[in-house]
Amino acid sequence: MTSSSDRTAHLAVYDTFADWETGHTTAHLAQNGYTVRTVGLTREPVTTMGGLRIQPDLALDELRPQDSALLILTGASGWDAGDGLAPFARTARGFLDAGVPVAAICGATAGLAREGLLDDRAHTSAISFYLAATGYAGGARYVDADAFTDAGAAGSGGLITAGPTEPVAFAREVFALLGVYDAKKLDAWYRLFHDSDASAYEVLQGE
């Protein structure tokens, strides 16, 4: 029996949240039976980088890994401007320790690096020296890829990372990890939205 936590993804939101980075991910999760709930530091509204105001569904201290299938962290100027978003990185640690996956793109990867979560996991980001500037110890584990999934050790959650120019590849990794599409449809989805391959549409429609 599938529980609600198996079909709920949590999207972290904060001021200057890079709203374009997870549009594909959240839209297609919602279209495939997932509920996407937003999580802020508090329940006070935040303003995205695109100027949109979002009212978080819950505050960070209300979020429990056991109630979630995935935590999504996007870029924001706050990741590289002090420790204001560090609580989200600490929450990511709790998710991974509980065996629940985390997906981080753009500046959120630097937040995870500062938290020490990339020291022992293969990962990617905008570019290697961006993460190196955090002083983290995981440089040898950096992968030159558009997006990457580290499955983690037994009992720990998988970790997806991506750079800021790869929202489609980021979504592909999320869908693969959660089993949203089978391999054939996942390939078609990526070809349609990344390569504008119209022939992939028929595969997605099951024809």
Side-chain angles (χ1 to χ4, degrees):
M1 182 177 180
T2 301
S3 69
S4 60
S5 63
D6 294 333
R7 308 293 290 182
T8 302
H10 288 91
L11 172 66
V13 294
Y14 21 74
D15 285 331
T16 72
F17 154 74
D19 31 17
W20 68 91
E21 292 178 345
T22 60
H24 290 90
T25 301
T26 55
H28 291 275
L29 285 177
Q31 290 175 19
N32 283 278
Y34 281 80
T35 296
V36 178
R37 302 195 71 198
T38 53
V39 184
L41 278 172
T42 69
R43 288 186 178 232
E44 292 299 310
V46 299
T47 303
T48 73
M49 200 172 288
L52 304 179
R53 284 174 63 80
I54 296 177
Q55 178 79 52
D57 294 314
L58 67 161
L60 192 59
D61 61 7
E62 299 174 273
L63 178 61
R64 304 185 307 166
Q66 60 265 39
D67 295 332
S68 185
L70 176 71
L71 174 63
I72 305 169
L73 302 172
T74 72
S77 60
W79 288 113
D80 296 317
D83 297 326
L85 298 183
F88 287 98
R90 290 194 291 271
T91 296
R93 177 181 291 281
F95 266 61
L96 295 172
D97 288 347
V100 181
V102 172
I105 185 170
C106 189
T109 61
L112 298 190
R114 294 186 183 95
E115 180 64 20
L117 295 176
L118 305 185
D119 290 351
D120 300 313
R121 288 175 175 265
H123 59 275
T124 193
S125 184
I127 198 165
S128 59
F129 57 74
Y130 170 63
L131 292 185
T134 69
Y136 84 132
R141 306 298 302 275
Y142 188 87
V143 178
D144 188 11
D146 51 8
F148 190 82
T149 299
D150 185 296
S156 66
L159 177 62
I160 295 167
T161 48
T165 61
E166 300 296 343
V168 179
F170 181 68
R172 177 196 62 201
E173 296 301 304
V174 169
F175 302 155
L177 184 65
L178 296 181
V180 174
Y181 298 114
D182 62 30
K184 183 178 180 181
K185 285 194 173 182
L186 182 63
D187 174 70
W189 184 91
Y190 185 74
R191 287 188 290 110
L192 179 62
F193 288 96
H194 187 266
D195 303 325
S196 299
D197 181 354
S199 68
Y201 181 78
E202 293 183 357
V203 179
L204 279 174
Q205 296 305 303
E207 301 176 3

